[in-house]
Amino acid sequence: MTRPPDAPRPWHLPASGRHTGPSRRVLLGRQGIFTPQRDLFAYELLFRAPGRVGLRVDLWNARQQDRATEHVVAAAFHTEGQPPLDRLAFVNFTRSYLIERDWIGFDPNQAVIEVVESAFADDALRHRVRSLREDGYRIAIDDFVATTSQLALLEHADFVKIDVRDLAARGPELAAAGSDRGCTMIAERVEDASTMAWCLDLGFELFQGHGFEPAIIMDRGYDSRDELHPAAS
């Protein structure tokens, strides 16, 4: 495919080792989201880089997380010589990425906007999320623990994702906060059948975790641009 001039660009981290230059391979992580019958519903897409393992993107600063999101969108939907992914995707977005960019890089039928747990739901973010939803995009709240910001976004959410460890720590009321608003509930880090059965009893409809499928790495090809996206700091 031909990349539009304003399309998101891959981000090439230096490989491990101080004197190693960046690789031009475009990698993408994915983990399936499944129904109770183990039918694939969608993939969560994840930032991956050659020579890097155990990346904790959730601990990066906002600028770095934005670069990671741009890479994921570029790898999934704007890789030269590769067709866009043809399965519904979930992609993590920070507040700054959503607020500062007019176009997020894909059509509403291609992916769900997953708002990360650190996003502060001020008036600007609430307005942006509402506007995106009016344009046909679906919204998910990631790692829901009922913070003030997350509760403020519930009225605009189609999906709520809860880590089963937070569910165990905070109780069934955490799931009820989302399901009572009509959101589709997704249980994360489901490792076994008993956990899945527990989540089903609490109203969860979709499941993600090693009990269904581990995250895998996709090689989306080679970035042929003359200038590489610089590392963020």
Side-chain angles (χ1 to χ4, degrees):
M1 64 174 292
T2 301
R3 182 188 291 113
D6 59 345
R9 300 166 57 188
W11 179 26
H12 299 283
L13 290 177
S16 57
R18 183 170 53 183
H19 303 294
T20 304
S23 169
R24 291 178 179 266
R25 301 307 303 181
V26 179
L27 302 185
L28 181 65
R30 78 175 195 201
Q31 186 176 36
I33 299 171
F34 294 86
T35 71
Q37 294 76 35
R38 295 185 173 269
D39 295 324
L40 180 65
F41 174 77
Y43 287 115
E44 179 174 359
L45 302 182
L46 309 163
F47 177 79
R48 294 293 185 265
R52 297 295 189 99
V53 295
L55 292 171
R56 289 294 308 275
V57 177
D58 58 316
L59 301 181
W60 292 357
N61 64 44
R63 176 173 165 79
Q64 292 170 324
Q65 289 189 40
D66 287 352
R67 286 286 179 83
T69 293
E70 184 177 1
H71 173 94
V72 167
V73 174
F77 305 114
H78 302 281
T79 302
E80 188 173 352
Q82 295 276 359
L85 298 186
D86 60 359
R87 173 69 69 168
L88 181 67
F90 280 62
V91 180
N92 288 331
F93 286 88
T94 65
R95 175 193 176 279
S96 55
Y97 198 107
L98 293 173
I99 294 295
E100 295 171 5
R101 304 186 187 223
D102 292 333
W103 183 52
I104 57 174
F106 52 80
D107 295 332
N109 64 316
Q110 293 179 300
V112 174
I113 297 168
E114 191 169 322
V115 182
V116 299
E117 65 274 19
S118 59
F120 176 58
D122 58 2
D123 289 343
L125 181 60
R126 293 197 299 272
H127 175 78
R128 176 63 165 150
V129 168
R130 180 171 61 249
S131 176
L132 286 165
R133 202 157 182 251
E134 290 172 352
D135 289 340
Y137 289 93
R138 284 163 287 183
I139 306 297
I141 302 178
D142 187 31
D143 288 336
F144 182 77
V145 290
T147 65
T148 300
S149 284
Q150 289 175 328
L151 291 172
L153 293 176
L154 268 181
E155 64 177 299
H156 308 300
D158 300 280
F159 302 91
V160 170
K161 301 182 75 175
I162 299 180
D163 189 314
V164 296
R165 298 171 300 181
D166 292 323
L167 189 61
R170 297 170 183 265
E173 295 80 8
L174 186 62
S179 59
D180 287 352
R181 298 300 295 264
C183 300
T184 298
M185 304 300 296
I186 304 175
E188 299 181 286
R189 291 187 181 269
V190 177
E191 309 292 337
D192 52 51
S194 61
T195 301
M196 175 184 162
W198 174 52
C199 291
L200 275 171
D201 288 342
L202 294 177
F204 285 86
E205 301 172 63
L206 297 169
F207 304 88
Q208 180 178 352
H210 282 203
F212 288 82
E213 176 184 86
I216 67 167
I217 296 178
M218 305 169 62
D219 188 332
R220 295 286 289 165
Y222 183 79
D223 188 355
S224 62
R225 289 175 297 115
D226 291 335
E227 294 183 6
L228 297 182
H229 204 314
S233 59

